[in-house]
Every structure is written in structure tokens, then in C-alpha cells.
Amino acid sequence: MRIIGDLGPYCLTSEGLTEGPCAREVEEHRDLGYGSFNFLYGPSAGGLLESVGFEIATYGESIERIGHVPYKGRQIKITQLPVEEALIRVERINGAFAASHSISFLQAVEKAFEAEVPYEVTVSRMAQLELERIRNNLFVIQRVLESASFLVPSYLLLQQVEEVNRTIARSCGHRYFFGANYPGRVECEHEVPSLKIGDVEKILENRIFIDRLQGNGVIKEDNSIGPAARASGFRYDARLDSDLFVYRDFDLKVPTQDHGDAFSRILVRLEEIKESLRILQELRVKPHTFPMRVRDGEGIGRVESPSGDLAYLVRIRHGRIERAFLLAPSSVNMRLFLRSMPGNIFTDFPFNWESFGIWISELEVDLK
């Protein structure tokens, strides 16, 4: 059993829910060095994709301690809404992970309704998740390249990200999967993006680039998820231990690395792109509908988003959402990032930050 993260008042594990918050290792508060001082970095978007704040303790170039400063909290009301209306808000929590959010939410609803999900719908959802994984893994690598001022390779990666976006738009009607998933139906056709993965591999062979990432932000922790876990040698993946998909039918290979640093996280993401493309070649996808009988109940949905486990706990009464909780992968990855930074220097910050694929938009969400 692996611990995944807090889902409302519960702890979500690979085997289900347990009461209370997840048990975690107590943070070690080391004495700061002579002349240390605290300063606030942010809320700032300078050099970062989203505005985010940190409090950093340092006595010079090395970071001794770092904490996240929450300030962008969002209350998104979905309680008392019909499932269809709630879904519209859920899929827009984080556009980059819209497929992951909508599919996980619908899985929870289907569990509550005790609905039988056809194989064709399951396969279509798998295709969406793999397209989303390819796009976001390419984007994370691009962000790291941009942090290193490798601008030409960075623009080449953006071109490939755009190719995936256009493939998604042609397949599902919207480049962020908005409207692709509904209760009882899925709207996507099938298309595989044409990418130049060899070009990405050549970029990652640059010695200067490698030196900026190796040994940067090392974290090896049992309670980790996604590429951060797999970069540390843990073969954690919701696609392996979830009974809501059929990845085993396609001989899913889960790449791992051993060093737990920013470079290992990038290498894992690159190998995942290749594996996702292979799976997409084997899938057969078309629009499909199926009946669902509305009933009172509660269910959990969990998917492997591009950054790790993403889960919803939903309770439905009289066809409306009575309560809902979200476990966003960025909440787990933020904790891992903060634990990985002490001992690194300031110039390491952007490379390490981008390698985790954290989205502030989903980090401080309160579902009301």
C-alpha cells in the first residue's frame, strides 16, 4: 500500500480511503546559519508561468529553508449543482489537466451511480489522458529549456506542443478537452500527433544543460507521486493499480530513474512521451454513449495525470452534488519541491521548480 495524499478529511492510499489526514514524516527544523535572513519571493510571475509566493531563508547563495506562501485561494462552488453543471466547472479548474480532472470526476460520479462504463468509453478516456500527458511532458521540458535560456530548442518544443494541441482539437473539438466528456457519453475521435522525439532527445544530450539539472532538487520519498516518484526509483502509477482502466491490456511500461533529481524527472517524462505515443497507436477510439441511472451514492475517481495521482471524492443526493473533495497532484508535488530545495543555490530554483510540473491554478482550490 502506498500513501497518495489528503482527499478532504481522509487519506487516499492505493487501496482506498483511511480516516484522518495522511501520516507524514515530521519536518526537521534546522538552526539557520550565522547571518541568515528571510525574504519574500513573490507573489511574482517573473520567470515563472503562474504567480506564486515563497518565503526563503538564506545567508547568501544557498537556500536553507523555503516555504510556500498561499495567497491565490479559489472557492469553486459545485455543491447543489447537477452533475452536468458541476462538470463544466471541474474541467476548468486547470485547463492543462482538463481531461484528468473531468475523467476523474466522472469516474467518481459513475461509482456513485453504480454505472457500468463500456470498454469503448474507457479506451477513449485513456487516449485523452495519454494525449494530455504527451502535451504536458513536452511543456515541462520546454519550460526547463527556457529557464536555461536555450531559446531555439525551447521554441522547437513549443512547436511540438502546438502540434499536440491541434491534434487534440481535431480529435475532441477543443484543444483543452472542454466538452469532450459528459455523463454517459464521450465525444472524441482518434488521431495520433506527429512528433519529432529524436530532436528532443538530442537537445537533452547537451552537456551544459545536463549540468544544470543533475544533482539539482534531489528528493527520494515513499509518499511521492508521478514523475517525481518514478525519477526516484518508485514504480508508482495510478494506471497500474486502478481498476477503472485497461492499461494492462496494452502492456504498459513505466519508466523509472534512480537519482531523484531534476534531470531524472525530465528523463522520465521523455520516456513517458514515447510510451504514450506507443499506446495511442494501439487504441481505437470513437464517440460513444451509454445509459446511467441517477441514484444517491458516493464514489472515488482517480487517474494518473501528467504530474501524478489526481482524485475526486463525490457524494450525490437527488441528482445533485452534496459534497466533493479534490486531491490535486500539485499539492503533493509542492510539498516534495519544498523538501528538495534546501542545500541548493538560487540559480537552481527555476530548473527544479519546472521539473515538478506544479500548477498553482489547482493547488489552492476549495470545492464548495
Side-chain angles (χ1 to χ4, degrees), residues 20-221:
C22 299
R24 294 191 182 92
E25 182 180 340
V26 177
E27 295 285 341
E28 179 184 354
H29 290 282
R30 298 176 297 174
D31 292 333
L32 301 180
Y34 174 76
S36 295
F37 61 94
N38 293 321
F39 74 94
L40 188 65
Y41 173 51
S44 170
L48 304 176
L49 189 65
E50 296 178 284
S51 183
V52 58
F54 295 98
E55 186 174 9
I56 299 173
T58 182
Y59 57 84
E61 191 176 26
S62 177
I63 293 175
E64 293 188 90
R65 194 162 61 209
I66 182 171
H68 172 229
V69 181
Y71 82 98
K72 200 178 180 181
R74 292 191 296 159
Q75 290 188 349
I76 299 177
K77 179 176 174 55
I78 67 170
T79 57
Q80 303 309 314
L81 292 179
V83 171
E84 293 83 355
E85 291 184 31
L87 177 62
I88 293 173
R89 301 187 181 191
V90 163
E91 70 181 359
R92 286 162 172 78
I93 288 174
N94 176 8
F97 287 6
S100 297
H101 278 274
S102 61
I103 292 170
S104 177
F105 178 78
L106 284 173
Q107 285 179 339
V109 169
E110 290 154 2
K111 286 277 189 177
F113 288 167
E114 298 183 3
E116 295 270 348
V117 180
Y119 182 86
E120 293 85 353
V121 173
T122 298
V123 168
S124 178
R125 290 173 176 177
M126 289 168 56
Q128 292 178 52
L129 292 171
E130 297 314 308
L131 283 168
E132 190 167 78
R133 192 177 328 281
I134 292 168
R135 176 181 62 197
N136 281 277
N137 283 0
L138 284 170
F139 189 63
V140 167
I141 298 171
Q142 182 274 327
R143 292 291 300 168
V144 176
L145 285 166
E146 185 176 321
S147 298
S149 296
F150 279 38
L151 297 185
V152 173
S154 171
Y155 296 148
L156 290 173
L157 262 291
L158 283 176
Q159 183 183 41
Q160 301 214 43
V161 170
E162 178 61 17
E163 169 61 25
V164 181
N165 282 334
R166 294 182 181 187
T167 299
I168 294 170
R170 289 191 295 268
S171 300
C172 300
H174 194 287
R175 61 174 49 207
Y176 288 105
F177 298 103
F178 292 168
N181 298 289
Y182 292 89
R185 76 181 194 270
V186 64
E187 297 291 346
C188 290
E189 301 281 355
H190 187 52
E191 185 174 338
V192 180
S194 177
L195 301 177
K196 300 176 181 178
I197 300 303
D199 291 350
V200 183
E201 291 179 304
K202 289 178 182 178
I203 293 169
L204 298 185
E205 293 173 359
N206 184 287
R207 187 68 248 178
I208 298 173
F209 181 69
I210 293 173
D211 288 343
R212 302 306 303 268
L213 302 179
Q214 283 186 326
N216 184 347
V218 176
I219 182 76
K220 295 185 177 183
E221 189 172 300

Side-chain angles (χ1 to χ4, degrees), residues 159-356:
Q159 183 183 41
Q160 301 214 43
V161 170
E162 178 61 17
E163 169 61 25
V164 181
N165 282 334
R166 294 182 181 187
T167 299
I168 294 170
R170 289 191 295 268
S171 300
C172 300
H174 194 287
R175 61 174 49 207
Y176 288 105
F177 298 103
F178 292 168
N181 298 289
Y182 292 89
R185 76 181 194 270
V186 64
E187 297 291 346
C188 290
E189 301 281 355
H190 187 52
E191 185 174 338
V192 180
S194 177
L195 301 177
K196 300 176 181 178
I197 300 303
D199 291 350
V200 183
E201 291 179 304
K202 289 178 182 178
I203 293 169
L204 298 185
E205 293 173 359
N206 184 287
R207 187 68 248 178
I208 298 173
F209 181 69
I210 293 173
D211 288 343
R212 302 306 303 268
L213 302 179
Q214 283 186 326
N216 184 347
V218 176
I219 182 76
K220 295 185 177 183
E221 189 172 300
D222 284 347
N223 299 345
S224 55
I225 62 172
R230 296 188 283 275
S232 302
F234 299 108
R235 199 167 175 264
Y236 296 163
D237 196 310
R239 295 174 293 178
L240 293 178
D241 51 37
S242 172
D243 61 353
L244 300 177
F245 293 105
V246 290
Y247 280 99
R248 287 184 175 85
D249 293 353
F250 297 90
D251 191 27
L252 174 69
K253 297 177 177 61
V254 178
T256 60
Q257 295 284 324
D258 296 323
H259 300 292
D261 56 10
F263 188 56
S264 294
R265 290 188 282 276
I266 294 302
L267 290 179
V268 165
R269 289 182 183 274
L270 175 60
E271 292 304 312
E272 287 181 352
I273 292 170
K274 298 179 190 176
E275 182 65 5
S276 294
L277 285 170
R278 183 190 68 80
I279 291 174
L280 284 171
Q281 295 284 358
E282 298 183 21
L283 297 178
R284 296 295 177 266
V285 175
K286 60 181 179 179
H288 197 85
T289 61
F290 64 100
M292 284 206 306
R293 185 172 65 88
V294 177
R295 54 173 292 161
D296 295 348
E298 185 174 85
I300 300 172
R302 177 164 64 98
V303 303
E304 182 69 19
S305 80
S307 293
D309 299 78
L310 188 156
Y312 278 88
L313 171 62
V314 175
R315 178 182 294 168
I316 298 175
R317 185 174 175 82
H318 303 315
R320 294 177 178 266
I321 307 297
E322 185 175 66
R323 71 168 186 171
F325 299 108
L326 163 66
L327 168 58
S330 293
S331 63
V332 180
N333 283 308
M334 175 63 86
R335 176 175 56 82
L336 296 172
F337 166 74
L338 296 176
R339 288 175 63 84
S340 74
M341 273 309 300
N344 288 276
I345 60 176
F346 280 100
T347 52
D348 291 338
F349 185 101
F351 304 102
N352 192 26
W353 169 258
E354 299 295 354
S355 72
F356 281 95

